[in-house]
Amino acid sequence: PKAVSTLLEVKSPMVGTYYAKPEPGANPYVTVGTRVSQGQILCIIESMKLMNEIEAKVAGRIARVLVENAQPVEYGQPLFLLEPR
């Protein structure tokens, strides 16, 4: 297995509420094992009634999802571990 140090943290750029899906009942944007391309939407963070789409900065594979849907998140809090391609 690869060393954990090869994984990149995708961090929250703001304080808000993490949403894994575009709307209730929809499928999550990503789950563990999802291959993502640069610019792909990973989640939404609601901050001050605005829905902010969080995009992948690099292509890779989602190794871990670190937060639960509808959980409050802090600025700089890791949301995902991403294995770069």
Side-chain angles (χ1 to χ4, degrees):
K2 290 189 174 187
V4 173
S5 61
T6 63
L7 300 177
L8 298 176
E9 287 184 335
V10 177
K11 297 181 180 177
S12 177
M14 65 195 68
V15 173
T17 304
Y18 166 89
Y19 291 107
K21 323 173 199 199
E23 59 192 35
N27 289 328
Y29 286 108
V30 297
T31 55
V32 171
T34 301
R35 293 215 170 270
V36 298
S37 50
Q38 185 174 348
Q40 183 174 334
I41 297 170
L42 301 177
C43 64
I44 289 176
I45 295 182
E46 180 186 357
S47 179
M48 297 187 290
K49 303 285 183 211
L50 290 175
M51 297 297 181
N52 301 280
E53 294 177 340
I54 308 306
E55 298 178 351
K57 298 210 185 323
V58 296
R61 185 183 67 83
I62 300 295
R64 276 188 70 199
V65 178
L66 302 172
V67 287
E68 297 288 322
N69 190 48
Q71 175 182 325
V73 293
E74 296 294 324
Y75 172 80
Q77 178 177 341
L79 303 174
F80 304 97
L81 291 179
L82 185 102
E83 183 183 317
R85 215 180 338 192

